[in-house]
Amino acid sequence: MSLLADLDTRGKILRVLTGIGKGILLLGFLYVFICSLDILSSAFQLVGGKAAGDIFQGNAVLANPVAGLVIGVLVTVLVQSSSTSSSIVVSMVSSGILDVQTAVPIIMGANIGTSVTNTIVAMMQAGDRNEFRRAFAGATVHDFFNWLSVLILLPLEVATGVLYKFTQFLITSFNIQSGEDAPDLLNVITDPLTDSIIQLDKSVINDLATGDEGARNKSLIKFWCTVEKYKVTHQQAPHHVHELLVWPTERHHIFAYTTLPDLAVGLILLAASLLLLCTCLILIVKLLNSMLKGQVAVVIKKVLNTDFPFPFGWVTGYIAIMVGAGMTFIVQSSSVFTSAITPLVGIGVISLERAYPLTLGSNIGTTTTSILAAMASPGDTLSDSLQIALCHFIFNIMGILIWYPIPFMRIPIRLARGLGNRTAKYRWFAILYLILCFLVLPLSVFGLSMAGWIVMVSVCVPIVVLIIFVIVVNVMQSRCPRFLPKVLRSWDFLPRPLHSLAPWDAVVTSMLGFCGNRCCCCCKCSNCCQRNDEEAVRKGSLEVYDNPAMSFDDDPKDTVTHF
C-alpha cells in the first residue's frame, strides 16, 4: 500500500474521495444497524410482549427475590429492552401493585437480560474464528459482570436491604422536584425510518402487567397515532365558531392496516431485522477492515488502547468508564452502544481490556436516562419511581467497585477470554451458551423457586459447591498442581465427555454432516477448515494485536483454557 506522499495529485484526490465515500457509507450502515436493533426490539415485543405482561402479574411469585430476578431476566430477553421492562416495573410500583423492595431484584434481572443483544450481535461475526473469538469475548464480558454482580449483591440485598435503605435515605434527604423528560437524542434521527416500518403501543404491556384484562384483546400495533381538531372561525361572523373534527392524521407505517396477528408480524420483523442486522454488520466490518490498514491502524490502536504514562495509568480505565456512560446517555441504550463496539472488538480495533470499562460505563449511562425519566413522574409517584431508578444506578456502581478498581478482581475479563477461546474452537457452543444462560438457567431457577426455598436450596447448593470445587481445582492445576492429590492434577480420570467438548463436537459435526467438505460459518465441516482454524486459534490471542493489520509492534501470546 503506497503512502499518500508517493501519489500524484490525481491519486491523492482519488484517495481522499475514496476515504470520504467509505466514511459516508460507514455512517449509513451504522445508521441502518442501529435502526435494525430498534426493529429487533419491536419484533421481540410483538412476539413475547403480552407474555411478558402476563409474567409480571403474579404478585405472590414476585415476592420471592430469586423468582423476581429470573422474571426480570426473562422479560427483558423477551422484549429486548431493559428500559421497557424497567418501565413496566415502575408502572407497577406507581400503581401500588409492587413495593419498591420487591421490585429491586426484578431491576437486577433486567440488567442481566439487556446484555443478550450484544451477544447475539457477536454471533454475526462467526464467519472468521479469530474475529468471533474476540467479538464473543467482548460481548460476554458484559454478561459475566452482570451475573457476578448479582451473585454478590442479591444475597446481600435479601439479607440487609442495603440498596433499598440507601436509596430511601437519598430520597428522603433531598427535596427532589419533578424534572424534565429524558432527552430524546438518538431517536430523533432513527424514528423517521423505524416509525415508517412499525409503531407499537407499549402501554398495552403495562396495562397487562397492572391487571387490565381489557388489554388482552388489544393489539400492540398502532393503527393511527394522532387525532387533530381545528377551530374554524368565519370572517363574516366572528361569533360563529365551528369545531371541525378531522380524520385521524396517520403517520403511516407498513403494518398500519394489517390484519395479521401480532405474532405473525413479530416473526416477520424478527427475520427481517436479523437479516438486516447481519448484513449491516458484515458490511461495517469489511469497511472498517479496508479503512484501518497500515499506519492508520497502528495510530488508532495506540490512541484507543494505550494507557496514560506512569503514574497516571490507572486513570485511563476510569476515563473509559465515563466515555461509555456519556455515549450511552447520548444514544439512550446500553444495547445499542455495546452492540456498536462489539464488531470493533472483533476486528481488533478495541482490546478486551479497554472494552471492559467502556461496558461498565454503558451500564451507568443507561441508568441515568431512567433517572431523568423517573424525575418526570407525577408528584404522588415521584419518590417510588425515582427510588427504583436509583436502585438500578447504585447496583451498577457497587458492581463496578467490586469488579474493577483492583486488577486482580477483574474476573469478568478472564472468564470472557476463556469463553471466547472455547467458542472459537467450538462455534456451536455459542448458541448453547445463549440458550443455557438466558433461557434454560432462568427457567430452571424459576421452577425451583416456585417449589419453595427447601427444594431450591437442596438442589442449588450442591451444584454451587460443585462449581466452586471445579473452579478451585482448575486454578490449582494451572498454578500449583503439587498441592493437589495426584488423581486431581488432571481431569483424565473422568469420562472424556465430562471434561472435554471434543466428543460433543463430533456429535454436532455429524448432525451437520450435510455441509460436506464446504466450510461453514457455524460449524467445523471439513478437516481442512478444522486444521486451518485450529492453527489460527493456537497462534492467536484475545488481544487487539492479533488483527494482522495491527500487529506491527506486538507479539501475540498463546492462551490456554482449562476445564
Side-chain angles (χ1 to χ4, degrees):
M1 180 178 177
S2 62
L3 296 174
L4 192 62
D6 298 332
L7 300 176
D8 56 16
T9 303
R10 183 172 179 272
K12 291 179 180 179
I13 294 174
L14 286 175
R15 178 68 60 82
V16 172
L17 290 177
T18 302
I20 293 173
K22 287 182 177 179
I24 293 173
L25 277 176
L26 183 63
L27 290 175
F29 289 139
L30 186 61
Y31 174 77
V32 178
F33 172 76
I34 294 172
C35 290
S36 65
L37 285 174
D38 193 357
I39 296 169
L40 180 68
S41 175
S42 298
F44 272 105
Q45 289 178 59
L46 285 171
V47 172
K50 288 188 176 180
D54 288 335
I55 289 173
F56 270 128
Q57 281 189 333
N59 278 347
V61 176
L62 295 177
N64 182 330
V66 177
L69 172 78
V70 172
I71 286 174
V73 175
L74 291 173
V75 169
T76 308
V77 169
L78 279 174
V79 300
Q80 283 288 286
S81 172
S82 60
S83 59
T84 299
S85 54
S86 299
S87 67
I88 296 173
V89 175
V90 170
S91 297
M92 297 178 73
V93 171
S94 299
S95 60
I97 296 176
L98 279 181
D99 58 60
V100 175
Q101 198 162 10
T102 303
V104 172
I106 305 175
I107 292 295
M108 292 183 181
N111 214 55
I112 294 174
T114 191
S115 62
V116 71
T117 308
N118 55 319
T119 309
I120 294 173
V121 169
M123 295 181 66
M124 306 297 179
Q125 290 180 263
D128 180 276
R129 284 191 190 271
N130 271 329
E131 281 189 12
F132 184 44
R133 178 164 51 88
R134 292 187 295 264
F136 202 76
T140 54
V141 75
H142 195 190
D143 303 353
F144 285 119
F145 170 78
N146 287 329
W147 279 109
L148 290 173
S149 297
V150 164
L151 286 176
I152 298 294
L153 296 177
L154 180 62
L156 182 65
E157 176 65 20
V158 172
T160 66
V162 59
L163 282 175
Y164 172 75
K165 292 177 181 176
F166 182 64
T167 53
Q168 190 178 46
F169 169 76
L170 292 177
I171 294 295
T172 54
S173 298
F174 299 97
N175 184 21
I176 301 175
Q177 303 296 326
S178 293
E180 300 296 330
D181 291 329
D184 203 12
L185 303 175
L186 186 68
N187 289 346
V188 173
I189 304 172
T190 58
D191 280 353
L193 178 59
T194 56
D195 284 354
S196 66
I197 296 173
I198 189 68
Q199 296 177 39
L200 300 184
D201 184 5
K202 297 180 183 178
S203 64
V204 175
I205 305 176
N206 284 19
D207 292 341
L208 276 174
T210 53
D212 184 359
E213 291 299 323
R216 196 171 299 279
N217 297 322
K218 294 180 182 178
S219 173
L220 279 169
I221 302 172
K222 286 185 179 179
F223 288 93
W224 37 69
C225 303
T226 58
V227 177
E228 296 181 1
K229 293 183 179 181
Y230 297 95
K231 289 186 177 180
V232 181
T233 304
H234 294 283
Q235 292 181 354
Q236 294 82 358
H239 57 281
H240 292 291
V241 178
H242 302 282
E243 189 176 84
L244 179 62
L245 181 64
V246 180
W247 189 255
T249 303
E250 303 163 16
R251 287 183 243 163
H252 290 281
H253 57 96
I254 295 174
F255 298 97
Y257 299 102
T258 185
T259 57
L260 295 173
D262 286 1
L263 178 61
V265 175
L267 292 175
I268 292 171
L269 288 176
L270 184 63
S273 59
L274 285 174
L275 179 61
L276 191 62
L277 189 72
C278 185
T279 304
C280 285
L281 191 60
I282 291 171
L283 293 173
I284 287 172
V285 169
K286 287 186 178 296
L287 264 178
L288 285 172
N289 275 323
S290 68
M291 295 170 69
L292 301 178
K293 290 181 179 178
Q295 294 302 316
V296 175
V298 175
V299 171
I300 293 176
K301 177 197 75 173
K302 289 188 179 295
V303 169
L304 291 178
N305 301 289
T306 302
D307 293 336
F308 285 114
F310 180 83
F312 303 104
W314 60 273
V315 177
T316 313
Y318 295 97
I319 292 177
I321 290 175
M322 289 189 288
V323 169
M327 292 300 296
T328 304
F329 178 77
I330 291 172
V331 301
Q332 299 183 59
S333 171
S334 60
S335 297
V336 169
F337 177 73
T338 54
S339 298
I341 67 172
T342 295
L344 296 177
V345 177
I347 66 173
V349 175
I350 300 177
S351 67
L352 180 60
E353 284 73 15
R354 184 64 75 241
Y356 181 53
L358 288 171
T359 299
L360 301 187
S362 177
N363 270 9
I364 295 176
T366 193
T367 62
T368 56
T369 305
S370 62
I371 289 173
L372 288 175
M375 290 182 68
S377 301
D380 56 339
T381 61
L382 173 63
S383 61
D384 287 345
S385 301
L386 190 56
Q387 188 174 355
I388 285 294
L390 284 175
C391 284
H392 196 184
F393 177 76
I394 300 299
F395 167 76
N396 282 300
I397 293 294
M398 293 177 68
I400 291 173
L401 292 177
I402 294 172
W403 304 114
Y404 188 76
I406 305 174
F408 175 76
M409 292 299 294
R410 295 172 189 175
I411 298 172
I413 294 179
R414 296 196 289 274
L415 293 176
R417 177 176 284 118
L419 182 61
N421 288 334
R422 185 55 55 93
T423 53
K425 190 174 182 181
Y426 308 108
R427 278 180 276 196
W428 52 267
F429 188 73
I431 300 174
L432 181 64
Y433 166 81
L434 268 177
I435 295 173
L436 288 177
C437 196
F438 294 102
L439 190 62
V440 174
L441 178 61
L443 286 175
S444 301
V445 174
F446 179 71
L448 290 171
S449 66
M450 292 296 295
W453 282 104
I454 296 177
V455 174
M456 187 173 68
V457 170
S458 301
V459 174
C460 290
V461 168
I463 295 175
V464 171
V465 170
L466 177 62
I467 292 172
I468 294 173
F469 172 76
V470 169
I471 292 173
V472 171
V473 172
N474 267 330
V475 172
M476 294 183 68
Q477 283 177 350
S478 61
R479 299 192 177 186
C480 49
R482 64 184 182 277
F483 294 110
L484 288 171
K486 190 173 181 180
V487 68
L488 288 178
R489 292 178 184 178
S490 73
W491 297 104
D492 293 339
F493 68 93
L494 293 174
R496 196 156 181 254
L498 294 182
H499 67 90
S500 173
L501 290 177
W504 301 104
D505 184 58
V507 173
V508 173
T509 302
S510 64
M511 292 173 62
L512 300 174
F514 65 88
C515 294
N517 290 325
R518 297 180 179 178
C519 289
C520 172
C521 69
C522 301
C523 59
K524 300 183 296 180
C525 305
S526 68
N527 291 333
C528 175
C529 176
Q530 180 175 344
R531 185 169 59 253
N532 292 338
D533 285 331
E534 286 181 351
E535 183 179 355
V537 170
R538 283 197 302 272
K539 291 182 178 179
S541 75
L542 275 174
E543 304 298 333
V544 60
Y545 314 120
D546 54 358
N547 184 336
M550 303 185 182
S551 57
F552 300 105
D553 55 350
D554 299 277
D555 296 324
K557 300 176 183 177
D558 291 328
T559 303
V560 178
T561 305
H562 296 280
F563 171 61

